[in-house]
Amino acid sequence: MRSRLLSMASDSSSPSENIVQLCSALVIVFEHSFYIFDKRPHFRPQSVPSFYVALEQYMASQHAAAVREGVSAAVQAYEEAVATASHAYEEAVKAFVYTYQGKSPAWMAKLPFEPFKRRAKEAIERSQEAKQSFERSKQEEKEFSCSRAKAELIKAVLDITLNHRLPGP
């Protein structure tokens, strides 16, 4: 049975794609196995469990290929959206130029009066706060994009799974 389930997932796909494909297929197979179990007479001993019958019917149907293709496309779209969000975050943080990066510049030590030194130090601290604020906002944007992509993936997989259910016996 394990090899049959694993054969439902495509060989060249990512681990997350395999997991989503197997979960979709299992939902369809389990639902159909309950229909089969419900329709069988309960007093007769069953030679083949309803799960195996449902699995065979699913593997022989056109639904298996349609689910595999649909889920594959949905997972690839999700992975591309997450990669794009991560890349955009990294590029934005890299592009943000920090003047001092937390170090006191040499010119600051040469300032003649203490108030000037204090103001320069405050400016550096403000620059650090701006850096942290910018990074936080970009991280939030990335997380929002990833969560939206995850929600779209879940919706697409549910639609695929519900649209490719096996007909009742």
Side-chain angles (χ1 to χ4, degrees):
M1 178 177 80
R2 182 177 177 206
S3 63
R4 288 182 183 165
L5 287 175
L6 292 176
S7 71
M8 281 191 245
S10 31
D11 296 330
S12 63
S13 55
S14 69
S16 58
E17 188 174 330
N18 285 338
I19 290 168
V20 174
Q21 285 180 1
L22 287 174
C23 290
S24 300
L26 284 173
V27 166
I28 294 169
V29 170
F30 276 131
E31 179 195 29
H32 196 63
S33 71
F34 291 134
Y35 284 132
I36 293 170
F37 181 78
D38 193 42
K39 296 297 179 192
R40 284 186 175 172
H42 295 289
F43 56 86
R44 184 175 57 158
Q46 300 168 2
S47 58
V48 179
S50 60
F51 178 79
Y52 291 114
V53 174
L55 179 60
E56 289 295 328
Q57 290 176 357
Y58 176 74
M59 295 290 289
S61 73
Q62 75 276 12
H63 296 287
V67 168
R68 189 170 32 254
E69 290 171 8
V71 167
S72 177
V75 170
Q76 287 174 1
Y78 167 73
E79 289 174 346
E80 287 174 11
V82 168
T84 301
S86 296
H87 182 69
Y89 167 75
E90 291 168 6
E91 289 298 316
V93 169
K94 257 195 268 185
F96 195 73
V97 179
Y98 306 109
T99 310
Y100 307 114
Q101 298 186 1
K103 300 176 186 170
S104 297
W107 61 264
M108 197 162 109
K110 297 177 186 177
L111 288 174
F113 301 109
E114 191 62 34
F116 291 137
K117 289 181 183 180
R118 195 172 342 121
R119 286 184 187 158
K121 190 172 183 176
E122 289 171 358
I124 290 172
E125 289 171 359
R126 282 193 303 272
S127 131
Q128 288 299 320
E129 290 172 4
K131 170 188 171 187
Q132 291 170 348
S133 175
F134 178 78
E135 284 181 359
R136 267 194 309 272
S137 70
K138 290 300 175 182
Q139 180 68 24
E140 289 170 359
E141 285 179 26
K142 175 186 161 192
E143 289 172 2
F144 177 74
S145 296
C146 291
S147 66
R148 187 176 58 223
K150 188 183 297 182
E152 290 172 4
L153 170 67
I154 291 169
K155 182 184 179 311
V157 170
L158 283 174
D159 287 343
I160 291 165
T161 303
L162 293 174
N163 289 331
H164 295 297
R165 296 163 63 188
L166 293 173

